[in-house]
Amino acid sequence: MKLVTAFAPATVANVSCGFDILGFAIDELGDEVTVKLVDTPGVKVVEIQGDGGKLPFDADKNTCSVAVQAMLNSLGVNLGIELSLFKGLPLGSGMGSSAASAAAALVAANEVLGNPFEKMDLVPFAMEAERIACGTAHADNVAPSILGGFVLIKDYDPLDVIKLPVPDGLYCTLLHPHLELKTMDSRSVLRQQISLKESTVQSGNIAGFIAGLFRNDFQLISRSLKDVIAEPTRALLIPGFYELRNVVREIGALGSGISGSGPTIFILSEGKEIALKVGKESKKVFEKIGLEVDVYVSKVNDKGAYVQSH
Amino acid sequence: MKLVTAFAPATVANVSCGFDILGFAIDELGDEVTVKLVDTPGVKVVEIQGDGGKLPFDADKNTCSVAVQAMLNSLGVNLGIELSLFKGLPLGSGMGSSAASAAAALVAANEVLGNPFEKMDLVPFAMEAERIACGTAHADNVAPSILGGFVLIKDYDPLDVIKLPVPDGLYCTLLHPHLELKTMDSRSVLRQQISLKESTVQSGNIAGFIAGLFRNDFQLISRSLKDVIAEPTRALLIPGFYELRNVVREIGALGSGISGSGPTIFILSEGKEIALKVGKESKKVFEKIGLEVDVYVSKVNDKGAYVQSH
């Protein structure tokens, strides 16, 4: 009986200037999934830990099993697979929790099956899991969780996913305030029509950001890390957001933004020292307004999901 | 009496996915300006050739003199400068005609004065000329005409201009149909509100395009060369636009779009052979609908405006 465990990292989607098209992966923080090949056909979730009992065991509803089932369907095989999920990520935090579970399950299952797929080929299967978890088959969390680094989702029809370079020394501080913010609410505050001017500004910023990644130009990255599309309305749902932005810029961070649809906030910094200081000072901002917050400091991960043990 | 002549190239602004933020320069085709330092203070336009008598000699209205005056103002000097303009570019064609005149004048004047400015510093002076010529001080023609290559105008406040790499072997075919299309009309058809979805698609394409330039990835450039913002309405003003697009894609061009606000159309190709064939076949498309067209085939110019002679 073959047994493989894989790890998949947390991810930050949107990245301010990359609304719905950009994401990146975080080191260390993430989910683990163990895949076991068994004789009885069918994909089953047999164990879930670290979710506080909130995630479904139903194979049609759990992102791990949905992703693996999509993979098996693509291969046209009906194998027996048992999945054990160990959540390292908080649910509904905006850190790509559902995506990390699906990514870890796919990388482990791919290994169990002798790696019939390249990592890039796993993205569509994980997107099927996102469809179950979020209502849309978006790729801006699953693609960076699988592939690592910064990933551009250029197009969905057909899917066009581009891995981008990660400047050496780029660190991320994640702040997860203990706020309940439903993706649904966070989407509903988005304006469906925006001005031509705003669209042009957003385009200029994503273009500058991509050039900054290729050039290792931290200042260009910093000048580009702005969001005129989603942030103006979503930030209102996160108390302390604007004060935090000022505090971290003063410390020397490159910039901050909402991770995915929130409430987690990400801050990019050049070097670990600033990223740690950002974490410390940010905590104070939230404590002042009586909000508990978890702080994670990590390099931007260029590796993505990987097999941990056989 | 010091005498310097400079050349500045034609430019393509917008570049489909880069509405209002991207431009690039063309080889060979462009304007020349001779700058003469004289004793009597004041900037004067003393000669204009190749414009069919259409351009103003009034120093407050000609883009050459307006640009040079802005430069002298910045230096706080009141020198005597005589300008002779030799138009190589058709007026109002969407090839950056006004910008090339200003760029050539500035590079020549800068040389006459012993180069007090870096090329990048000349951009704001040329923008003042665009304000006179077009009503807005846009930089997406003047910046590539001065600097060469692909240039991103990331921001105007403050001005943030980023020169981008040019993939080796990238050629441009320019088609200038003999149509009168006023920038004013071409702007008035633009929608001032666009959907969030369209904005996201445009962002994905400009992000892919920038990544394609850095990676020399012609296929990625091709997949990104789309415009969902301006083209859907502006293309209606250019007969044959959509047929042309199909024809050039079939020949193997990377893609086509409206140059600036038109009516010139640009087509990017990998290699000169395809670019030439594109020119030949495109001409047939326009002839079929009874429209005369000038065809230019050129490498994308990485050098920008330069001093020709002293």
Side-chain angles (χ1 to χ4, degrees):
Chain A
M1 257 176 311
K2 233 172 160 182
L3 200 80
V4 170
T5 300
F7 170 87
T11 45
V12 170
N14 293 342
V15 203
S16 294
C17 52
F19 177 74
D20 264 5
I21 59 167
L22 191 66
F24 67 85
I26 295 298
D27 248 0
E28 295 159 31
L29 189 66
D31 289 354
E32 284 175 31
V33 174
T34 298
V35 168
K36 189 173 166 187
L37 202 56
V38 296
D39 291 335
T40 322
V43 179
K44 285 196 190 84
V45 182
V46 295
E47 184 182 6
I48 307 176
Q49 283 183 25
D51 68 327
K54 287 184 181 164
L55 290 176
F57 277 86
D58 181 343
D60 294 334
K61 290 182 182 156
N62 189 295
T63 64
C64 297
S65 40
V66 169
V68 170
Q69 189 61 60
M71 183 198 223
L72 295 182
N73 291 349
S74 157
L75 288 169
V77 294
N78 186 17
L79 298 171
I81 284 184
E82 288 183 358
L83 299 161
S84 304
L85 167 60
F86 309 94
K87 289 297 298 177
L89 293 179
L91 309 183
S93 58
M95 294 193 243
S97 175
S98 59
S101 301
L106 285 168
V107 167
N110 195 35
E111 176 78 11
V112 159
L113 300 178
N115 290 302
F117 296 103
E118 297 287 323
K119 262 188 165 186
M120 184 65 92
D121 304 328
L122 300 177
V123 175
F125 308 138
M127 286 167 62
E128 288 308 310
E130 289 291 63
R131 191 195 302 281
I132 298 298
C134 323
T136 51
H138 69 106
D140 47 352
N141 287 110
V142 293
S145 188
I146 292 171
L147 302 168
F150 282 91
V151 179
L152 170 67
I153 318 299
K154 201 193 85 55
D155 216 329
Y156 281 93
D157 187 23
L159 186 65
D160 197 349
V161 171
I162 295 139
K163 197 169 183 308
L164 301 166
V166 178
D168 200 33
L170 188 61
Y171 276 79
C172 179
T173 310
L174 283 181
L175 307 171
H176 175 219
H178 293 194
L179 269 178
E180 191 149 355
L181 194 63
K182 294 228 167 71
T183 302
M184 206 72 90
D185 294 340
S186 196
R187 277 212 89 85
S188 73
V189 300
L190 289 176
R191 296 163 302 156
Q192 290 308 309
Q193 292 286 315
I194 58 170
S195 73
L196 180 59
K197 175 73 192 149
E198 288 167 322
S199 173
T200 306
V201 168
Q202 187 88 347
S203 278
N205 285 325
I206 184 69
F209 192 84
I210 303 286
L213 292 182
F214 276 95
R215 288 238 168 93
N216 291 310
D217 184 338
F218 287 102
Q219 285 316 305
L220 178 52
I221 288 171
S222 178
R223 296 199 303 277
S224 306
L225 206 55
K226 294 173 197 162
D227 175 7
V228 300
I229 302 289
E231 190 178 287
T233 51
R234 282 185 172 169
L236 305 174
L237 306 176
I238 306 171
F241 181 85
Y242 288 108
E243 193 189 338
L244 181 90
R245 183 165 77 178
N246 296 337
V247 165
V248 302
R249 286 259 182 186
E250 267 171 40
I251 294 170
L254 302 172
S256 58
I258 302 169
S259 177
S261 52
T264 293
I265 295 169
F266 75 95
I267 299 115
L268 291 179
S269 301
E270 182 182 358
K272 194 170 186 177
E273 201 181 331
I274 296 174
L276 286 169
K277 194 169 173 195
V278 158
K280 203 172 141 195
E281 297 300 321
S282 300
K283 204 163 179 170
K284 290 183 195 162
V285 172
F286 283 110
E287 277 171 358
K288 218 166 54 183
I289 54 175
L291 209 50
E292 263 192 87
V293 62
D294 298 319
V295 178
Y296 309 92
V297 175
S298 150
K299 240 187 159 166
V300 174
N301 167 319
D302 201 20
K303 188 165 74 164
Y306 60 92
V307 170
Q308 279 186 316
S309 60
H310 287 82
Chain B
M1 255 174 316
K2 234 174 162 181
L3 200 79
V4 170
T5 300
F7 170 87
T11 44
V12 170
N14 293 343
V15 202
S16 294
C17 52
F19 177 73
D20 264 8
I21 59 166
L22 190 67
F24 67 87
I26 294 299
D27 246 2
E28 294 158 32
L29 189 66
D31 289 353
E32 283 175 32
V33 174
T34 298
V35 168
K36 190 173 164 187
L37 203 57
V38 296
D39 291 336
T40 321
V43 179
K44 284 194 190 84
V45 182
V46 295
E47 186 182 5
I48 307 177
Q49 282 183 27
D51 68 327
K54 286 186 181 163
L55 290 176
F57 277 85
D58 183 342
D60 294 334
K61 289 182 182 156
N62 189 295
T63 64
C64 297
S65 39
V66 169
V68 171
Q69 189 62 59
M71 180 197 223
L72 296 182
N73 292 348
S74 156
L75 288 169
V77 295
N78 186 16
L79 298 170
I81 283 183
E82 288 183 1
L83 299 161
S84 304
L85 168 60
F86 309 95
K87 289 296 300 177
L89 293 180
L91 310 181
S93 58
M95 293 192 244
S97 176
S98 60
S101 301
L106 286 168
V107 167
N110 195 36
E111 176 78 11
V112 159
L113 301 177
N115 290 304
F117 296 102
E118 297 288 325
K119 264 186 162 185
M120 186 64 92
D121 304 328
L122 300 176
V123 175
F125 308 138
M127 286 167 63
E128 288 308 309
E130 290 290 64
R131 192 196 301 281
I132 298 298
C134 323
T136 51
H138 68 108
D140 47 351
N141 288 110
V142 295
S145 189
I146 292 171
L147 301 168
F150 282 90
V151 179
L152 169 68
I153 319 299
K154 201 193 83 59
D155 215 330
Y156 281 93
D157 187 24
L159 186 65
D160 198 348
V161 171
I162 294 137
K163 198 169 183 307
L164 300 166
V166 178
D168 201 32
L170 188 61
Y171 276 79
C172 179
T173 310
L174 283 181
L175 307 172
H176 175 219
H178 293 195
L179 268 179
E180 192 150 356
L181 194 63
K182 295 226 168 73
T183 302
M184 206 75 87
D185 295 339
S186 195
R187 278 212 88 85
S188 72
V189 300
L190 290 175
R191 296 163 301 156
Q192 291 307 308
Q193 294 283 318
I194 58 170
S195 71
L196 180 60
K197 175 74 194 150
E198 288 166 323
S199 174
T200 305
V201 169
Q202 187 88 347
S203 277
N205 285 325
I206 185 68
F209 192 84
I210 303 285
L213 292 181
F214 276 96
R215 288 236 169 96
N216 291 311
D217 184 338
F218 287 102
Q219 286 316 307
L220 179 53
I221 288 171
S222 179
R223 296 200 304 275
S224 306
L225 207 55
K226 295 174 196 161
D227 175 8
V228 299
I229 303 289
E231 191 179 286
T233 52
R234 282 186 172 168
L236 305 174
L237 305 175
I238 306 170
F241 181 85
Y242 289 108
E243 192 188 338
L244 182 90
R245 184 167 75 176
N246 296 338
V247 166
V248 304
R249 287 259 180 184
E250 267 171 40
I251 295 171
L254 302 173
S256 58
I258 302 169
S259 176
S261 51
T264 293
I265 296 169
F266 76 94
I267 299 113
L268 291 179
S269 299
E270 183 182 358
K272 195 171 186 177
E273 200 181 330
I274 296 174
L276 286 169
K277 193 169 174 197
V278 159
K280 204 172 141 195
E281 297 301 319
S282 300
K283 204 165 180 170
K284 289 183 196 162
V285 173
F286 283 111
E287 278 170 358
K288 218 167 51 184
I289 54 174
L291 209 51
E292 264 192 85
V293 63
D294 299 320
V295 178
Y296 309 93
V297 175
S298 149
K299 238 186 160 166
V300 174
N301 166 318
D302 202 21
K303 188 164 75 165
Y306 61 93
V307 171
Q308 278 188 316
S309 62
H310 287 80

